């Protein structure tokens, strides 16, 4: 059995090496390292894959979030509602623009934004709602969009962990993560479900005017070179990364299926461990398993993590401190107890190895180790 890793980028690379090497070599031969044709081809292909009318590539997922807020004119004095249980990117971009992150709690079962808490958080200063599709499962977007519409605020989706996840609306319409709100943000960080070999990101929108503005913002606020209409910044997807992504997008459905198979193995093998709570998948969304994150009850998380580590099984805590209790966001004035579900999650969550190359013997070893764990 090969050593178990949280994410095995090497084995995946070796499996599709000829295609990737050829694509990268092609860029080297062209020397069109910035804004070469693979960048625009990839945007087209991603647009086709996701059903998003417009796709604008950029430097990374954090930049995508930042560009989204800038394009919607969010700044000083504005409030943006976001879940406290998320990666810090979601929060920092709001703060960097001088706007105020307003945290809501998340659901016990899905780890996603608690839509019941959402409406109570709306004030006259609210400009946008920023739900996160955490671990690869869509947040409950129908109520989010309804609240946004009712209060005339924008919706930016942080779909960085959920490329390809499908959400079904009550009328039967199916949409992909990142294509439901005003703007959707993706990250192509190497370990993401669609990852390149460096940094990368993208924005999605169904509004052509907004798309034009987003594209300009990522290009120093300029539509015509050396004429700057907006305050922007420089955020580009490298041509080499776009070439890698073109190859990998081709394999994305296969990648997502491999993750799903590994997840189903975990579900089946771990269902009788009574001090573990397995992640729930809601009827109206698919789960793309960026992470397979369970909750370890009875205060046993650290002990399990240690035990697994002794058995050469890596595991990770995403995330050990919710955003509202991070020192950097102390100035917002939140206290322990304000968002109890997020706080509880941060003490109980544990993510197991999850990637496209997990073998049956590795999965069996991981699960047997947990089932036989003397805790
Ligand atoms: C990865 C991630 C980001 C940031 O993406 P980068 O490409 O690393 O900047 C933002 N939000 C969430 C939820 C993420 O998982």
């Amino acid at each position: 059995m090969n050593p178990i890793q949280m994410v095995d980028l090497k084995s995946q690379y070796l499996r599709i090496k000829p295609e990737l090497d050829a694509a990268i070599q092609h860029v080297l031969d062209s020397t069109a390292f910035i804004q070469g044709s693979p960048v625009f081809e990839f945007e087209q292909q991603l647009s086709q894959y996701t059903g998003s009318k417009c796709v604008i590539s950029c430097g990374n997922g954090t930049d995508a979030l930042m560009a989204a807020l800038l394009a919607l004119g969010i700044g000083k004095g504005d409030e943006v509602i976001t879940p406290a249980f998320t990666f810090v990117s979601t929060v920092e971009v709001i703060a960097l623009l001088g706007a105020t992150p307003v945290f809501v709690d998340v659901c016990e079962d899905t780890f996603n934004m608690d839509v019941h808490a959402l409406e109570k958080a709306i004030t006259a200063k609210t400009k946008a709602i920023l739900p996160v599709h955490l671990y690869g499962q869509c947040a409950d977007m129908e109520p989010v969009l309804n609240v946004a519409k009712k209060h005339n605020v924008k919706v930016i989706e942080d779909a960085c962990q959920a490329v390809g996840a499908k959400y079904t609306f009550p009328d039967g319409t199916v949409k992909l993560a990142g294509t439901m709100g005003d703007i959707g943000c993706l990250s192509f960080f190497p370990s993401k479900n669609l990852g390149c070999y460096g940094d990368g990101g993208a924005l999605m929108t169904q509004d052509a005017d907004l798309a034009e503005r987003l594209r300009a913002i990522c290009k120093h606020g300029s539509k015509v070179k050396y004429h700057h209409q907006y305050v922007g910044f420089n955020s580009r997807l490298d041509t080499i990364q776009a070439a890698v992504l073109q190859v990998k997008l081709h394999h994305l459905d296969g990648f997502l299926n491999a993750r799903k198979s590994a997840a189903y193995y975990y579900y089946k093998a771990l269902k009788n461990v009574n001090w573990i709570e397995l992640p729930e998948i809601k009827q109206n969304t698919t789960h793309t398993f960026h992470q397979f994150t369970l909750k370890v009850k009875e205060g046993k998380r650290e002990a399990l993590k240690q035990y697994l580590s002794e058995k050469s099984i890596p595991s990770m805590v995403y995330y050990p401190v919710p955003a509202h209790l991070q020192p950097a966001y102390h100035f917002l004035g939140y206290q322990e107890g304000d968002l109890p579900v997020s706080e509880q999650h941060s003490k109980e969550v544990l993510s197991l190895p999850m990637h496209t190359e997990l073998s049956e013997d590795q999965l069996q070893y991981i699960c047997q180790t947990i089932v036989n764990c003397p805790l």
Side-chain angles (χ1 to χ4, degrees), residues 6 111 134-136 161 193 259-271 276-281 287-295 314-318 349-355 358 363 366-367 370:
M6 271 313 276
F111 306 102
L134 203 69
Y135 303 146
Q161 299 188 358
N193 290 10
R259 287 177 177 275
K260 197 162 133 184
S261 300
Y264 279 63
Y265 194 102
Y266 282 139
Y267 275 114
K268 213 167 148 199
L270 298 176
K271 67 172 188 287
I276 277 174
E277 231 173 76
L278 296 169
E280 215 168 289
I281 309 174
H287 200 318
T288 53
F289 296 104
H290 174 57
Q291 300 298 343
F292 189 87
T293 304
L294 38 80
K295 284 194 278 181
S315 61
M316 292 289 278
V317 175
Y318 305 113
V349 290
L350 192 67
S351 300
L352 298 181
M354 175 50 77
H355 53 78
L358 279 164
L363 287 162
I366 296 166
C367 293
I370 295 174

Side-chain angles (χ1 to χ4, degrees), residues 58-80:
C58 65
N60 56 66
T62 310
D63 281 0
L65 290 161
M66 180 77 122
L69 293 167
L70 277 167
L72 297 175
I74 290 162
K76 221 176 160 99
D78 299 332
E79 292 178 355
V80 179

Side-chain angles (χ1 to χ4, degrees), residues 17-71:
K17 182 174 173 359
E19 286 171 80
L20 284 163
D21 288 1
I24 293 169
Q25 187 61 49
H26 192 76
V27 179
L28 295 178
D29 291 336
S30 79
T31 65
F33 298 119
I34 299 290
Q35 307 280 284
S37 57
V39 174
F40 304 102
E41 288 162 17
F42 170 66
E43 287 179 351
Q44 280 305 313
Q45 289 157 358
L46 188 61
S47 159
Q48 226 154 47
Y49 182 90
T50 57
S52 181
K53 199 165 146 194
C54 312
V55 171
I56 302 105
S57 60
C58 65
N60 56 66
T62 310
D63 281 0
L65 290 161
M66 180 77 122
L69 293 167
L70 277 167

Side-chain angles (χ1 to χ4, degrees), residues 59-63 65 86-87 89-90 132-134 158 160-161 186-189 192 199-201 290 319:
N60 56 66
T62 310
D63 281 0
L65 290 161
T86 180
F87 182 57
S89 283
T90 324
V132 182
H133 305 306
L134 203 69
D158 182 341
C160 287
Q161 299 188 358
L186 294 176
S187 165
F188 307 125
F189 185 81
K192 298 282 157 92
D199 275 311
H290 174 57
Y319 300 94

Side-chain angles (χ1 to χ4, degrees), residues 340-354:
V341 181
S342 298
E343 291 165 28
Q344 188 70 15
H345 285 340
S346 68
K347 296 184 181 99
E348 293 182 341
V349 290
L350 192 67
S351 300
L352 298 181
M354 175 50 77

